[in-house]
Amino acid sequence: MQIKLLDDSAIYNPVTSALRALVMDAVQQANSGHPGMPLGMTEIAEVVWRRNLRHNPANPNWVNRDRFVLSNGHGSMLLYALLHLTGYDLPIEELKNFRQMGSKTPGHPEVHYTPGVDTTTGPLGQGIANAVGFALAEQMLAAQFNRPGHNVVDHRTYVFLGDGCLMEGISHEACSLAGTWKLGKLTAYYDDNGISIDGQVSGWFTDDTKKRFEAYGWQVIGPIDGHNAAELQKATEEAKADGSRPTLVICRTTIGKGAPTKAGTSDSHGSPLGATEIDGVRKAIGWEHAPFVVPADIYAQWDARKAGAAAEAAWNDAFAAYAKAFPELAAELKRRLSGELPESFTKAATAFETAALARTDSVATRKASQQSIEGLAGSLPELLGGSADLAGSNLTHWSGTVEYLPGVANANYINYGVREFAEVAIANGISLHGGFIPYTSTFLVFSDYCRSAIRMAALMGARQIMVFTHDSIGVGEDGPTHQPIEHTASLRLIPNLNVWRPCDPAETAIAWISAIERKDGPSTLSLTRQNLAVVTRDASHSAKIRRGGYVVSEAVGGAHKAVLIASGSEVGMALAAQKQLAEAGIPVRVVSMPCTRLFDLQDAAYRAEVLGGDVPRVAMEAGVTDGWYKYIGGKGCVIGLDRFGESGPGNTLFKHFGFTPEKVVEAVKGLI
């Protein structure tokens, strides 16, 4: 049969009915999932995906595609159905295997896993923050590379979000910045259905969302009927017409739309509808086909492959013209979007690392970090810095810093304000977009605020660097509220996260270089406020530091009788204790462990050799002790801090809590 493109006046249409049917059938077959939001946002999805989204299903990674973020990621089946219908490599068998082990349709969308998914979502609020990062990256790249008549960076970011996203505090942090940054190519559709897991949100969410977003500097449209395609299309066109403000479209919807008894209730939110309810939906929407059956003519109306191929081909022609007019700019843009580092960086990094290994001056590692940025950033234009209102303490500025404001074309630094959570989540979006390697910063103790975004960075393999300074009781007088005790150890528990705690300029330089070179995940740097003791080095340490743990000082005066293991500021303490023990006729080896994850990835023979065999081992770090027991074996001990700190000068606190060479000497003598 012939079906018209879409009848905007119809409540239900075969085109949208196909989307609803696939969602409820997949959730029912999995006996798990969230059908309510997808059924309620179906018309919104049709308007965005069939009428406005510029994408190419045959090439999900086309660089100038529009980005789409399902911030309310529990409704993942809506996205999978859209990807399937529009022609992505997501066959019907994958929808039938929704939420099953090994399928391409996991419970929440996962980037790099399902073709067409631009970011991993599920923890509410982080998707909209990622979207702000996408839109900011597009705006900054466009300012840097577009030229009159050549808009080669020109795409939009669309976001779906719900009450839960807006209740999460990160949505305030991120959306406030989006308004300040005038992200005119960001459009968010708020699924205003009044329902969350616990029922009617009127008992706990009474914000005036419209006024809230207007106060941020957004264009706010609505409330409109979220089931009326004509109103939705008109709102989308208004959003596109305003190039200086992000847009929030408030869409009044019914959760579980079409379900006879569960529509409009929390019963449809997070559980399959059930066979009886699904039969009722089928009757309500006029869908007579068996589960997972979509007629060919409806597939044809959803299919975006031809339009997508044409859009990408047109862009390729435009880019070819751009490359002819501006060959150097075109080559640089292609390089940056590919993620490959420039040759100039390799040369600069080699020279800087060589110089760092030869240094003999005593500095805080936060200062050594700033010196690393100074030595590397000039050869790496994609390095995009930022701080949560602590640049003067984190030392993340360098001589070439240009702070971002809308219209500043050559900006390379973002002032995030006091917004630690949004800072890292936005940087995740920037990283996933491509064209930049972002670094962010705050005090280590405040990594708690952004931990969920750090975890998401690791899960997604996002290439970003997090600079965390003031890494221990060495913070001093600010006291226990600002003295991280458990934070470095806690970050080490996150899979795929390289946690660096360097002890001097050489380790700091190599930590920075390694973090920049890393393509498969994020890195953090835990850095001191206080100056640290000088470590004597030679060129052989370069490769060893990259292995995460290595012998920084071999025993003198015979075979080692014990091994001292330390990171960061405690390496100097271990070296001082080594000297005292040597004077007492007890030769010991000192191992520096700047990145435990990388050390743990080394082969067993290397790890055993570094840890020195069957001898007592003493590990030391100004933080909780639990993570170090795996390195000391049955004959060792850990010198650490399993309680909160105190307010006082840093040196006084180290002595008070037993972080002295004498304490290490005492421990070794008690073990051998």
Side-chain angles (χ1 to χ4, degrees), residues 454-577:
I454 299 169
R455 182 179 185 272
M456 293 300 289
L459 177 62
M460 296 188 290
R463 188 183 195 178
Q464 73 148 302
I465 303 155
M466 291 156 265
V467 177
F468 295 131
T469 66
H470 296 61
D471 74 336
S472 73
I473 54 173
V475 170
E477 293 85 349
D478 276 340
T481 63
H482 281 53
Q483 294 167 3
I485 302 302
E486 74 279 18
H487 297 75
T488 298
S490 178
L491 290 172
R492 289 179 181 137
L493 295 175
I494 299 176
N496 197 39
L497 178 66
N498 284 354
V499 179
W500 289 88
R501 189 170 184 251
C503 73
D504 68 351
E507 286 190 358
T508 305
I510 291 172
W512 259 106
I513 294 167
S514 297
I516 290 170
E517 292 176 340
R518 187 181 185 205
K519 294 182 178 181
D520 62 351
S523 302
T524 72
L525 283 71
S526 297
L527 306 170
T528 67
R529 177 195 184 203
Q530 72 276 19
N531 290 353
L532 301 184
V534 176
V535 178
T536 302
R537 300 195 177 278
D538 58 53
S540 70
H541 283 178
S542 176
K544 295 176 181 178
I545 293 171
R546 283 175 162 77
R547 303 186 80 167
Y550 65 103
V551 179
V552 68
S553 181
E554 191 53 272
V556 177
H560 61 271
K561 295 183 179 180
V563 175
L564 309 181
I565 309 168
S567 79
S569 53
E570 287 65 69
V571 172
M573 182 175 76
L575 291 169

Side-chain angles (χ1 to χ4, degrees), residues 14-30 34-35 38-39 42 76-86 90-98 278 281-282 285 287 289-295 298-299 302:
V15 174
T16 51
S17 294
L19 192 55
R20 281 192 167 90
L22 287 175
V23 166
M24 63 185 183
D25 289 342
V27 173
Q28 185 66 25
Q29 178 145 315
H34 300 76
L39 295 181
T42 294
S76 59
M77 194 52 230
L78 176 64
L79 178 53
Y80 300 145
L82 288 165
L83 294 170
H84 169 73
L85 288 170
T86 55
L90 198 68
I92 195 69
E93 287 75 18
E94 294 291 352
L95 273 60
K96 292 178 180 178
N97 286 322
F98 177 51
I278 287 175
V281 176
R282 277 183 151 76
I285 66 177
W287 192 255
H289 308 288
F292 299 105
V293 173
V294 177
I298 295 179
Y299 268 123
W302 274 104

